[in-house]
């Protein structure tokens, strides 16, 4: 998708489709109070073109509600699309992100290849640069469709997206925000592309290759290791998961080392990269097992975040570690009852081979520490229990350090992603003590997201650490006007903003 920021006058813009935003300005809560839709664009010609339909009562400017006018009078545009933000009082930056996605997803199936979106200007709360960035991100998010392997697939992606900003705005500031939005949107879509790939197409080796190709493009350091290196590093936990598959594991390391930054923190981004999770010997039921191709979404989020970091160039060193493997049942597979020695030296009793994510992450966290990480963040589709606890609205977050988590919490204000912090504690840690070794890999049915986090905490040791359980949000189950059903790319934006806060 080609993108452009324009400061031209709206009526004169020649385009297939001009999209403008509207909100419901009705403040009365009386039962007979009718919606009062109003455009968030003050241009008189645009106002005049939309006046009739806005007063007709047909259109309420509800969130992501659309209305299309052909040959709008007085405008050079061939079509005028109105996209609603809902109640004016609640309209904010996230609602503009979604509205931009809605405009793009409205355009795509109609065979229209270009559109111009006018930025909101009237009475809009929130700084204009944040609105610009969000609108561009939303456009990229909306442009993604998961139908990669349809043999009759028509590429319906939008070829040209232009954001029209008021001429009197600060051009340089908006351009910077615009360029940022492009980088973030493209990186989030790169993550979504990886997550969408089926297990036979995206093996651990292929994930490593994709990461290396991306790294070469954006100037990141990258090494991809396999079985031998796992043995050399004594990664018994990671290796045990991979041992049941014909596909070799991949230990993917990405390095961002900005010139002239030789001290200060080193941030370690660790991702779960299970390219398919059958459950192993503790095999999963067949129903919905196909979904487990997205069990590498945490790893893909780290790869996407590293891409954005390389392009946005924050003044802090970052290391990405993705532990990729397939979890399969086999004569050589690891078994319940096995005891494995992790890279840290801790011994782990395997209770359930389907609790494999924490095993690969355990060694990933140890390795990131060995490589010099002073602060850790991991992301993983780790537990069904987290989905039971928080549904598909909030992802779970955990931390052993309040100051580090506070920075993540502030990052959420920019990323507009929903994470809910859950507790850790000694009583939970008790649940994963093993009779035969140091710890076991499951802590029973209750509090499953928390005992999984307690397991990871053992391997973060004394390093400040954040754990993100994205099992419930990595895949969008029902399409929305602004995003297709499929991979969401969740966590990329939040991890990026957390990194930029250092
Ligand atoms: N990959 C799954 C978790 C998952 C579930 C991700 C649903 C996305 C959607 C993970 O490896 C797993 O199987 N976890 C088990 C842990 C249990 C055996 C302690 C689970 O949640 O059931
Ligand atoms: Mn599993
Ligand atoms: Zn898994």
């Amino acid at each position: 998708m080609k993108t452009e920021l324009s400061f031209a006058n709206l009526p004169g813009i020649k385009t297939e489709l001009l999209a403008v935003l509207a909100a419901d300005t009705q403040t009365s809560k009386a039962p007979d109070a009718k919606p009062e839709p109003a455009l968030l664009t003050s241009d008189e010609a645009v106002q005049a073109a939309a006046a009739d339909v806005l007063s007709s009562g047909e259109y309420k400017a509800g969130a992501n509600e659309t209305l299309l006018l052909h040959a709008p009078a007085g405008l050079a545009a061939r079509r005028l699309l109105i996209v609603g933000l809902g109640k004016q009082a609640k309209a904010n930056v996230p609602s503009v992100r979604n509205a931009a996605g809605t405009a793009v997803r409205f355009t795509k199936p109609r065979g229209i290849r270009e559109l111009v979106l006018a930025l909101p200007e009237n009475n809009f709360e929130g700084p204009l640069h944040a609105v610009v960035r969000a609108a561009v991100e939303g456009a990229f998010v909306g442009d993604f469709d998961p139908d990669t392997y349809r043999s009759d697939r028509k590429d319906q992606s939008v070829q040209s997206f232009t954001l029209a900003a008021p001429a009197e705005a600060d051009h340089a500031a908006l351009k910077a925000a615009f360029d940022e939005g492009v980088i973030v949107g493209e990186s989030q879509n790169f993550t979504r592309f990886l997550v969408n790939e089926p297990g036979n197409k995206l093996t651990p080796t292929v994930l490593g290759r994709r990461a290396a190709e991306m790294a070469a493009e954006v100037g990141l350091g990258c090494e991809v290791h396999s079985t031998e290196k796992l043995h050399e590093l004594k990664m018994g936990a990671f290796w045990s998961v991979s041992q049941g598959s014909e596909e070799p594991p991949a230990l993917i390391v990405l390095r961002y080392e900005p010139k002239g930054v030789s001290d200060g923190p080193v941030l370690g981004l660790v991702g779960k990269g299970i390219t398919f999770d059958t459950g192993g010997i503790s095999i999963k039921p067949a129903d919905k097992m196909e979904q487990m191709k997205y069990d590498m979404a945490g790893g893909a989020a780290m790869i996407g975040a590293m891409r954005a970091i390389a392009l946005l160039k924050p003044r802090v060193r970052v290391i990405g570690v993705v532990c990729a493997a397939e979890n399969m049942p086999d004569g050589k597979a690891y078994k319940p009852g096995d005891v494995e020695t992790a890279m840290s030296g801790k011994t782990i009793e395997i209770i359930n081979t389907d609790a494999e994510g924490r095993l690969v992450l355990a060694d990933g966290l140890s390795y990131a520490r060995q490589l010099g990480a002073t602060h850790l963040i991991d992301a993983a589709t780790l537990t069904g229990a987290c989905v039971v606890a928080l549904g598909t609205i909030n992802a779970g977050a955990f931390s052993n350090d309040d100051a580090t988590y506070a920075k993540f919490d502030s990052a959420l204000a920019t990323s507009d992603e929903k994470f809910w912090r859950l507790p850790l504690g000694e009583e939970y840690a008790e649940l994963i003590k093993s009779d035969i070794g140091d710890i076991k890999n499951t802590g029973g049915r209750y509090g499953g997201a928390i005992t999984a986090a307690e397991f990871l905490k053992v391997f973060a040791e004394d390093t400040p650490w954040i754990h993100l359980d994205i099992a419930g949000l990595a895949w969008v189950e029902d399409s929305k006007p602004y995003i297709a059903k499929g991979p969401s790319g969740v966590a990329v934006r939040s991890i990026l903003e957390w990194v930029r806060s250092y």
Side-chain angles (χ1 to χ4, degrees):
M1 190 166 83
K2 258 183 34 205
T3 54
E4 197 192 317
L5 178 63
S6 160
F7 295 93
N9 259 337
L10 295 182
I13 300 180
K14 276 210 180 87
T15 173
E16 287 294 322
L17 186 144
L18 172 66
V20 296
L21 305 177
D24 177 7
T25 57
Q26 177 61 270
T27 50
S28 163
K29 293 209 171 80
D32 57 347
K34 296 209 172 58
E36 281 175 9
L39 295 190
L40 300 184
T41 301
S42 61
D43 183 90
E44 280 173 19
V46 178
Q47 290 274 356
D52 274 0
V53 73
L54 289 190
S55 61
S56 71
E58 285 164 44
Y59 179 74
K60 302 180 174 61
N64 303 301
E65 184 186 350
T66 50
L67 183 114
L68 182 69
L69 297 174
H70 278 257
L75 305 184
R78 293 188 62 186
R79 301 174 186 82
L80 180 67
L81 175 71
I82 307 176
V83 185
L85 297 183
K87 285 275 180 216
Q88 167 91 60
K90 287 189 187 155
N92 53 15
V93 174
S95 48
V96 175
R97 182 184 285 103
N98 291 347
T102 300
V104 168
R105 294 197 69 69
F106 182 93
T107 307
K108 287 189 74 176
R110 287 169 172 81
I112 305 167
R113 290 283 154 269
E114 54 140 341
L115 78 155
V116 178
L117 174 69
L119 275 183
E121 31 160 323
N122 296 346
N123 317 315
F124 196 83
E125 304 288 331
L128 204 53
H129 67 89
V131 179
V132 166
R133 187 186 135 169
V136 183
E137 287 169 5
F140 276 98
V141 168
D143 198 39
F144 180 94
D145 269 301
D147 57 348
T148 326
Y149 293 98
R150 281 217 176 125
S151 49
D152 63 348
R153 178 175 196 269
K154 291 190 208 77
D155 184 7
Q156 295 194 305
S157 47
V158 164
Q159 272 152 20
S160 156
F161 174 83
T162 303
L163 199 59
E168 65 277 12
D170 178 343
H171 291 212
L174 293 202
K175 182 70 173 97
F178 183 86
D179 292 344
E180 232 180 85
V182 173
I183 291 169
V184 177
E186 285 181 343
S187 299
Q188 190 176 339
N189 279 356
F190 180 52
T191 292
R192 293 166 80 199
F193 162 77
L194 295 172
V195 174
N196 192 48
E197 286 289 86
N200 64 327
K201 304 281 184 197
L202 192 102
T203 59
T205 309
V206 175
L207 182 61
R209 198 182 304 145
R210 296 267 177 273
E213 286 162 3
M214 177 280 287
E217 262 169 42
V218 301
L220 288 170
C222 178
E223 301 140 41
V224 183
H225 305 289
S226 192
T227 314
E228 241 173 70
K229 183 77 170 185
L230 267 55
H231 289 315
E232 187 189 307
L233 292 167
K234 299 195 164 53
M235 291 182 155
F238 181 4
W239 182 73
S240 69
V241 174
S242 75
Q243 77 187 67
S245 173
E246 292 288 327
E247 290 295 338
L251 171 61
I252 306 165
V253 183
L254 294 163
R255 291 171 200 267
Y256 170 69
E257 283 159 352
K259 279 202 192 70
V261 182
S262 54
D263 56 5
V266 177
L267 308 180
L269 278 46
V270 182
K272 170 178 174 181
I274 300 296
T275 57
F276 195 78
D277 181 12
T278 64
I281 296 299
S282 315
I283 198 162
K284 288 180 181 293
D287 189 40
K288 304 238 170 92
M289 200 206 271
E290 75 283 358
Q291 294 186 340
M292 284 300 107
K293 70 169 187 176
Y294 74 76
D295 212 17
M296 33 59 76
M302 293 315 184
I303 294 170
M306 289 301 292
R307 181 189 183 276
I309 290 163
L311 295 170
L312 290 172
K313 306 194 192 321
R315 305 283 301 152
V316 61
R317 289 171 293 170
V318 190
I319 304 172
V321 174
V322 176
C323 299
E326 230 183 30
N327 186 23
M328 298 289 278
D330 182 75
K332 292 211 230 31
Y334 77 135
K335 307 173 293 297
D338 287 359
V339 175
E340 312 284 356
T341 305
M343 181 180 170
S344 78
K346 284 265 184 314
T347 55
I348 303 166
E349 180 189 6
I350 306 302
I351 301 298
N352 189 319
T353 63
D354 198 9
E356 84 297 341
R358 65 200 73 181
L359 297 171
V360 305
L361 287 173
D363 285 342
L365 291 166
S366 296
Y367 191 45
R369 294 181 76 239
Q370 191 190 83
L371 293 177
T374 59
H375 297 71
L376 294 165
I377 190 163
D378 75 68
T381 46
L382 202 63
T383 66
C386 194
V387 192
V388 172
L390 297 172
T392 58
I393 310 299
N394 277 278
F398 301 82
S399 181
N400 62 359
D401 185 71
D402 289 343
T404 303
Y405 190 78
K407 287 173 88 71
F408 183 76
D409 201 44
S410 315
L412 296 179
T414 306
S415 72
D416 296 323
E417 293 185 316
K418 285 196 161 98
F419 285 87
W420 193 265
R421 189 175 178 184
L422 294 167
L424 294 163
E426 195 43 50
E427 297 97 323
Y428 293 107
E430 282 294 322
L431 300 172
I432 53 167
K433 292 221 164 113
S434 165
D435 295 332
I436 190 172
D438 297 329
I439 50 173
K440 51 187 186 181
N441 80 331
T442 66
R445 224 156 71 79
Y446 298 143
I450 302 176
T451 48
E454 282 290 347
F455 184 97
L456 298 178
K457 182 169 168 257
V458 171
F459 300 91
E461 300 188 45
D462 56 359
T463 304
W465 152 84
I466 297 168
H467 159 55
L468 307 176
D469 191 335
I470 57 171
L473 280 92
W475 197 263
V476 179
E477 290 289 350
D478 302 303
S479 65
K480 303 194 174 74
Y482 48 87
I483 190 168
K485 177 177 169 178
S488 67
V490 69
V492 172
R493 295 205 302 258
S494 301
I495 292 161
L496 169 67
E497 291 312 318
W498 177 74
V499 166
R500 294 174 90 197
S501 76
Y502 281 88

